[in-house]
Amino acid sequence: MKKRAATRVKRLSLLMVATLVLAAVVSSLAQAAPAPQQGPIRVSIDEAALTLEVAPQMVGGRVMVPYRAIAERLGARVGWDSRTRVVTVTKGADVMRLTVGQTTATVRGRNVTLDTAPMVVAGRVMVPLRFLGEGLGARVDWDGSRRIVSVRTPRPAGQAQLPQGPPIRIGVAGPMAFIAGEHMWHGAVMAQEDINRAGGITVGNVRRPIQLIRVDTNEILSVPDAASAVERAITRDRVDFLLGGVRTEAVQAIQDVISEHKRLFLGVGAAHPILTQRVADNYEKYKYYFRVSPLCATHLGTLIFMQLRDVAAVVRRELGVARPRVAIVAERAAWVEPIVAAAERVLPGMGMDVAGIWRPSATASDTTAELAAIRAAGANIIIQVFIGPVGTVFVRQWAEMRVPAALAGINTDVQGGRFWQATGGTANYAATMATLGRIPLSPHTIPFFDNFMRRHNNEVPLFTASGAHNALNVLRGAIERAGTISVNEVIEEMKKTDFQGLSGQLVFNERHDLKFGPGYVMSVGIQWQNGKVETFWPIGYGGTVPYRLPPWMRPSR
């Protein structure tokens, strides 16, 4: 009978579901809560009494407390997903997830059973204090006679009193003359400052600050330059770890260098599946590579088509085009091949026709010929697949020529940086998929987004900025869990990563690639509207706005 009831609930509207869930929670609380006992329960952390928004409660023999106040006092970051009613608590690379009304929680990806399920009281999620405190490395003691819970952190005087060790040298390897490399460096510096401000990375019994080494790979223009730059970083600059890479062909060459020198490299910009397929095919040689950002091109393609479906719906609704024609414009680079092949295969089944495929150079300075051909082909939508500087050229000329086709796909330049200025303010209605938008993909997205723009003259952070920031934090967690910077031990801890990053939860699969799907890393669709970057996809997500067609697409009246 319960199964039939659950089936009926799924068919209700979202509002009805929310109402029923709330009623169930209130009912369960009414049944579970015992009769009040004499005197309130008090909580202290390191001898300092806490004042909590909702008073601690004894339920099922366990002290329940508001999770956010306790977790943040213990140095953790917190998240709450109101749709799934999941609490996420992150400290370093350690993650706990608890679900309201359920006694199964996860710690570092492993299921554990709670004596008492989390619950909502007065609008606050309450969780078992002992489970939360001990999960964050604290000692929790209960004095029943005085009804006091004492929480003690491992080093009451603070970790900064640990001996200071030499810096950990981390190379940031990217095309520093291009916006993707520049933002990679900015994102890494922001993470370095946060980590060093907190005392650095705990390695065994010492604290070691991060020292960043800027490594210009010049990979947009030269693959051999990239391999040579990384080799110099290892042999001359003596880096302990590296992060970076944007162009797939360059990262393949880098993989051979790091394999020879046994250096861990966290990829933050190259998407082709071959990079992690090499890990699967020859693990001992290529195990030194992990992709932290972006998603694999195969998954990016899936997201492009999901975004394209919604853009096509706007074209159909507003222009009356029953079967839109789609132009595919992709730079000549290895990483785009899976996306182009998938588009040719998938679009007809989505009720769209391929108007043609154009392949300009990633560094082309003129795309008017391609745009004229796209106009002649009668395209209604353009899928862009660009990471090189051709992206700015293409959009500027698209706007100047008023090509009557809506933009979708991936264009790194459109994601932000100095794009608006580079197009002379003509880039309204340019759109792209992006790693970040100013919507709460995680509790850390908007604070990072705003801080980056404040620091860098209102430049919108590119995916390489968030990728580098995530990479340093993931690496910190792996080193701290390993208690050493020995590469094999750190690799083993990297494989256990379950980290709440800037665009969702980072978890690696067996080929050292990001897991993809609900609950993991997400992407968004952004569009320039009135000189500002707005997030238009996923539709209905908090903070999104409708996609807008350029006015020259509409028939004159």
Side-chain angles (χ1 to χ4, degrees), residues 158-181:
Q159 290 184 328
Q161 290 190 342
L162 288 173
Q164 191 82 358
I168 299 174
R169 295 168 63 81
I170 300 174
V172 181
M176 296 303 173
F178 295 85
I179 192 72

Side-chain angles (χ1 to χ4, degrees), residues 416-429 528-532:
R418 295 179 290 273
F419 176 71
W420 184 256
Q421 296 89 330
T423 59
T426 64
N428 265 337
Y429 314 107
W528 286 87
Q529 297 182 4
N530 300 319
K532 289 177 53 183

Side-chain angles (χ1 to χ4, degrees), residues 314-315 317-320 402-405 429 547-557:
V314 176
V315 170
R317 181 176 66 249
E318 297 189 14
L319 302 182
R402 293 182 168 259
V403 177
Y429 314 107
Y547 182 91
R548 294 171 60 185
L549 297 177
W552 60 82
M553 286 190 70
R554 302 180 185 281
S556 58
R557 298 183 183 276

Side-chain angles (χ1 to χ4, degrees), residues 67 79-81 85-89 96-100 118 125 127:
Y67 80 99
W80 163 246
D81 188 329
R85 302 197 304 157
V86 173
V87 166
T88 305
V89 180
M96 290 186 285
R97 291 195 186 92
L98 305 90
T99 305
V100 170
V125 177
V127 303

Side-chain angles (χ1 to χ4, degrees), residues 479-532:
I479 292 172
E480 290 187 340
R481 291 194 304 273
T484 177
I485 64 168
S486 175
V487 66
N488 286 322
E489 284 85 345
V490 174
I491 287 172
E492 288 304 307
E493 294 303 326
M494 282 287 299
K495 289 155 63 174
K496 302 174 187 175
T497 295
D498 191 343
F499 176 73
Q500 187 179 64
L502 298 174
S503 54
Q505 206 69 24
L506 278 76
V507 179
F508 296 112
N509 61 24
E510 67 282 354
R511 60 182 61 195
H512 296 183
D513 211 343
L514 290 171
K515 287 191 175 182
F516 174 68
Y520 297 112
V521 171
M522 181 62 176
S523 290
V524 300
I526 62 174
Q527 185 180 39
W528 286 87
Q529 297 182 4
N530 300 319
K532 289 177 53 183

Side-chain angles (χ1 to χ4, degrees), residues 284-306:
E284 282 307 309
K285 181 174 182 179
Y286 293 115
K287 66 182 179 181
Y288 305 98
Y289 178 83
F290 285 78
R291 183 173 10 234
V292 177
S293 170
L295 287 165
C296 168
T298 305
H299 302 322
L300 291 177
T302 299
L303 292 170
I304 285 175
F305 302 134
M306 293 170 67

